[in-house]
Amino acid sequence: MAEPLPQCYLNGDYVALSDARISPLDRGFLFGDSVYEVLPVFAGRMFLFREHFDRLARSLREIRVENPHTHQEWRAILEQLIVRNGGGDMYVYLQVTRGAEFGRNHAFPVPAVKPTVFVMASPLPVLTEEQRAAGFAAITVQDFRWGRCDIKSTALLANVLMKQQAADAGAYEALIVRDGEVLEGSSTSVFIVANGVLVTPPNSHRILPGTTRDATLSLATNVMPVEIRSISLDELRAADEVWISAATRDVLPVTSVDAAPIGSGKPGPAWLRLREAFARLRQQLADTPVYEP
Ligand SMILES: Cc1ncc(COP(=O)(O)O)c(C=O)c1O
C-alpha cells in the first residue's frame, strides 16, 4: 500500500498529516464511536459524491451525531484537500467521531461535544493488468460482526480479522456467510453471474449499502438481466462468475473461492463488459469541468 498524501484536514485546518494530532480521549479511539467514508477521485473529480455523502449523512443519523457539514461544505473541504495534494487520481478517506470529552463514559456526553472531523487523501491502490487478468482468490468466513453492518462504522475489528484470515490463506478477500447466505466481502460488495443473470443480495442491516454496487447495477442493466435476491453458498460455488466491488477498486473478478475455481477459473465475459462500462464512466467524469468553489 502506498503512503497517504502529505496534506490532511483536521477540525477546520489543513495540516501536514505527520503533524495531525487528536486526543486519546476521542470516542473514535476509545469506543470506535465514529463513522467514515471512502471516495475515489479521478483526474481531480470526485466520483459518486452525492451517493457517498448521502450515506455519510445516514450513518451519522443512525448513530445520532449531528452532521457537522452540509453537502456543499463537505464538497468544498474535499476539493481544497484534493488540490492541496496535487489533484489527479487518488482516494479520500474521511472520518467523523462523536468527539472527545474529559473522561470515558459509554453514554453520549451531555451536553454534546464537537465531533472530530478528519479527512486524508491517498493514492489509489495499484492493481496490475496481470492481477486483473488472473482474477482474485477469496475464502469464505462465517459472519461474527454486529447487527448493524449497514452503518459505515469504524468499529471494524471483525472485518480486520476476516481480511487477515484471507491474507493468511493467500487470498485477496473474505466473503462473509451468515445462515448459509453470502452477504458481502470484508470490505467489498459481492455479485454472482449465473445463467446470464447478475445477482447481488438486497441491502439490509447485515450489509453495507455499497456505492459501487449501485453504480454496477445501473451499468449492468444495459448489458444483462439483474436480480436483487439472496445468494446461497452453494450458488456462489456453482456460479459462472463472482465479482466484488468497492469504491477504490471498482469491480474485480473472483476466480477462486476456498481454493476451488469459479467457472473457467478466469475472469468471465460479463465482467469484461462491465469493466469497459466503468472505464467509460470514469472517462466521462474526467471530461466534466472541475468543480470550482
Ligand atoms: C463491508 C463493506 N461492504 C461493501 C463495501 C463497498 O462499498 P463502496 O462500494 O461504497 O466502497 C465496503 C467498502 O468499504 C465495505 O467495507
Side-chain angles (χ1 to χ4, degrees), residues 36-38 40 48 52 55 145 149 152 156 159 173 176 184-190 207-214 245-250:
Y36 75 111
E37 274 299 325
V38 173
L48 303 178
H52 283 281
R55 185 171 65 185
R145 302 171 301 166
C149 298
K152 200 163 168 65
L156 289 170
N159 305 58
E173 181 57 302
I176 303 169
E184 60 182 338
S186 69
S187 62
T188 54
S189 307
V190 70
I207 288 179
L208 183 81
T211 55
T212 323
R213 166 195 183 271
D214 292 348
S245 72
T248 54
R249 291 159 289 171
D250 58 63

Side-chain angles (χ1 to χ4, degrees), residues 39-42 45-49 52 215 247 278 281-282 285:
L39 170 144
V41 175
F42 301 113
R45 281 86 162 164
M46 293 186 268
F47 188 56
L48 303 178
F49 173 86
H52 283 281
F278 252 105
L281 193 63
R282 272 200 302 272
L285 181 75

Side-chain angles (χ1 to χ4, degrees), residues 241-255:
E241 298 184 30
V242 173
W243 308 345
I244 50 176
S245 72
T248 54
R249 291 159 289 171
D250 58 63
V251 185
L252 299 177
V254 170
T255 45

Side-chain angles (χ1 to χ4, degrees):
M1 266 293 179
E3 281 179 21
L5 297 167
Q7 288 291 310
C8 72
Y9 173 93
L10 182 62
N11 296 329
D13 295 316
Y14 294 92
V15 291
L17 180 59
S18 52
D19 293 336
R21 299 285 179 270
I22 61 166
S23 165
L25 295 179
D26 194 283
R27 294 177 63 97
F29 179 66
L30 292 178
F31 298 114
D33 188 359
S34 72
V35 296
Y36 75 111
E37 274 299 325
V38 173
L39 170 144
V41 175
F42 301 113
R45 281 86 162 164
M46 293 186 268
F47 188 56
L48 303 178
F49 173 86
R50 170 156 295 285
E51 289 79 353
H52 283 281
F53 281 86
D54 284 352
R55 185 171 65 185
L56 177 72
R58 179 182 181 281
S59 293
L60 287 167
R61 211 167 39 244
E62 292 296 319
I63 69 163
R64 295 161 58 189
V65 167
E66 198 175 326
N67 194 336
H69 298 295
T70 62
H71 275 35
Q72 214 180 351
E73 288 166 351
W74 278 118
R75 185 182 268 282
I77 291 168
L78 267 64
E79 285 290 345
Q80 184 68 241
L81 185 73
I82 292 164
V83 169
R84 281 171 185 254
N85 281 300
D89 293 351
M90 62 180 78
Y91 75 89
V92 172
Y93 171 92
L94 72 95
Q95 182 172 346
V96 181
T97 86
R98 197 179 305 278
E101 61 182 320
F102 196 71
R104 178 182 180 274
N105 302 293
H106 285 66
F108 302 166
V110 182
V113 290
K114 221 171 148 29
T116 301
V117 177
F118 170 62
V119 192
M120 68 173 173
S122 299
L124 284 168
V126 178
L127 295 170
T128 63
E129 276 313 310
E130 290 74 38
Q131 281 173 302
R132 284 182 200 261
F136 295 84
I139 59 164
T140 55
V141 293
Q142 290 302 314
D143 199 356
F144 53 90
R145 302 171 301 166
W146 71 322
R148 289 301 307 275
C149 298
D150 56 313
I151 299 172
K152 200 163 168 65
S153 156
T154 60
L156 289 170
L157 184 55
N159 305 58
V160 165
L161 294 176
M162 289 168 174
K163 188 78 164 190
Q164 189 55 42
Q165 207 177 315
D168 292 345
Y172 183 75
E173 181 57 302
L175 300 177
I176 303 169
V177 179
R178 181 175 282 247
D179 303 329
E181 283 178 23
V182 184
L183 299 175
E184 60 182 338
S186 69
S187 62
T188 54
S189 307
V190 70
F191 302 81
I192 63 167
V193 177
N195 305 316
V197 180
L198 181 66
V199 187
T200 195
N203 286 330
S204 71
H205 283 182
R206 298 162 151 202
I207 288 179
L208 183 81
T211 55
T212 323
R213 166 195 183 271
D214 292 348
T216 302
L217 289 175
S218 53
L219 287 176
T221 44
N222 302 323
V223 174
M224 60 201 299
V226 168
E227 273 179 25
I228 297 179
R229 60 164 176 82
S230 58
I231 298 171
S232 72
L233 186 52
D234 288 344
E235 276 183 296
L236 176 82
R237 296 196 193 289
D240 300 317
E241 298 184 30
V242 173
W243 308 345
I244 50 176
S245 72
T248 54
R249 291 159 289 171
D250 58 63
V251 185
L252 299 177
V254 170
T255 45
S256 73
V257 170
D258 295 330
I262 294 297
S264 65
K266 293 208 165 67
W271 173 74
L272 283 168
R273 285 204 301 275
L274 236 291
R275 200 189 159 195
E276 281 163 18
F278 252 105
R280 279 195 298 274
L281 193 63
R282 272 200 302 272
Q283 191 53 49
Q284 274 170 20
L285 181 75
D287 291 341
T288 60
V290 181
Y291 172 82
E292 282 171 16

